[in-house]
Amino acid sequence: MTPEQASAQSEDICRLAPVIPVLVVKDASTAADLARALVKGGLPALEVTLRTDAALDVIREMSTVEGGVVGAGTLLTPADVQAAKDAGAKFGVSPGATDRIIDACLEADLPLLPGAATASEAMYLLERGFTVQKFFPAEANGGAPALKSLASPLPQIRFCPTGGVSLKNAPDYLSLPNTLCVGGSWVAPGNLVDAGDWSAITALAAEAAALPR
């Protein structure tokens, strides 16, 4: 896979809905129900972060849910990339970008959404061929005004801002010409997941899916 192909596939995934849920799931037994609730609400692209021991099993379970496109977040090493791919991930997300992570994803044919926090990092990724990137951590790096400032000098790049994004500020990002979608965890709060309140999560997903962009 080339970086250009990876970006094209990442863009297709980002255009599926205004929001990609960023999921930290501790119990794989809830994974399929959670994925079904989010997909039912209109959010088919799901990022499962590799921050728990259950994450790979969660990806396996969610990959069985019809209509879902499950990816792996927090890719830090080539081993993470291969493990995510083997578990059924259809895309990868990294908080930043290194040559080792990029090369591992390209070799594994796993579309990567690489993270950039500065203009220099975004330019480096553009030189590598990545025109679709993750802006992270979004709010800590100046939020929507900072991302807007990158649009004029770097019009070739489209972003998925993640980190501190909420229902309240998501429209600020989605209104920008260089934003494809946003990533956020508010659509699957831990208390609702723990309670198995899938209808409430579906309602949150539907609210997010209706955000204009």
Side-chain angles (χ1 to χ4, degrees), residues 16 33 35 43 45 60 62 64 70 78 93 106 112 136 147 158 181 206 212:
L16 290 173
D33 286 335
L43 302 181
R60 291 187 187 94
M62 288 190 171
T64 68
V70 184
V93 184
L106 297 179
L112 175 66
F136 177 84
L147 188 56
R158 296 293 182 270
C181 66

Side-chain angles (χ1 to χ4, degrees), residues 50 56 72-87 89 92-110 112:
L50 300 186
L56 293 173
T74 324
L75 296 178
L76 302 178
T77 68
D80 289 341
V81 173
Q82 192 58 56
K85 176 79 172 183
D86 292 343
V93 184
S94 59
T98 67
D99 288 327
R100 292 181 71 215
I101 287 291
I102 290 171
D103 293 342
C105 285
L106 297 179
E107 184 176 345
D109 288 329
L110 187 70
L112 175 66

Side-chain angles (χ1 to χ4, degrees), residues 2-177:
T2 67
E4 291 78 13
Q5 290 170 332
S7 286
Q9 292 186 34
S10 292
E11 180 167 353
D12 288 342
I13 292 167
C14 286
R15 290 191 182 280
L16 290 173
V19 179
I20 295 179
V22 179
L23 307 171
V24 182
V25 185
K26 299 177 182 178
D27 184 357
S29 68
T30 66
D33 286 335
L34 174 57
R36 278 190 284 268
L38 292 167
V39 171
K40 182 179 179 180
L43 302 181
L46 310 172
E47 177 190 338
V48 177
T49 62
L50 300 186
R51 301 181 198 171
T52 69
D53 292 338
L56 293 173
D57 288 332
V58 170
I59 291 172
R60 291 187 187 94
E61 292 297 320
M62 288 190 171
S63 295
T64 68
V65 174
E66 185 176 357
V69 181
V70 184
T74 324
L75 296 178
L76 302 178
T77 68
D80 289 341
V81 173
Q82 192 58 56
K85 176 79 172 183
D86 292 343
K90 300 301 183 186
F91 66 96
V93 184
S94 59
T98 67
D99 288 327
R100 292 181 71 215
I101 287 291
I102 290 171
D103 293 342
C105 285
L106 297 179
E107 184 176 345
D109 288 329
L110 187 70
L112 175 66
L113 190 62
T118 66
S120 292
E121 291 171 359
M123 288 172 62
Y124 163 73
L125 289 170
L126 184 61
E127 285 186 354
R128 286 291 312 252
F130 288 90
T131 54
V132 178
Q133 304 173 17
K134 169 182 174 176
F135 181 57
F136 177 84
E139 282 294 288
N141 278 312
L147 188 56
K148 181 179 181 180
S149 70
L150 296 177
S152 293
L154 298 170
Q156 311 95 320
I157 306 175
R158 296 293 182 270
F159 292 93
C160 171
T162 304
V165 180
S166 64
L167 180 65
K168 181 178 180 180
N169 61 24
D172 296 334
Y173 290 100
L174 292 169
S175 67
L176 301 178

Side-chain angles (χ1 to χ4, degrees), residues 29-31 33-34 37 189-202:
S29 68
T30 66
D33 286 335
L34 174 57
N191 62 315
L192 294 183
V193 175
D194 291 342
D197 194 343
W198 310 124
S199 61
I201 289 175
T202 294

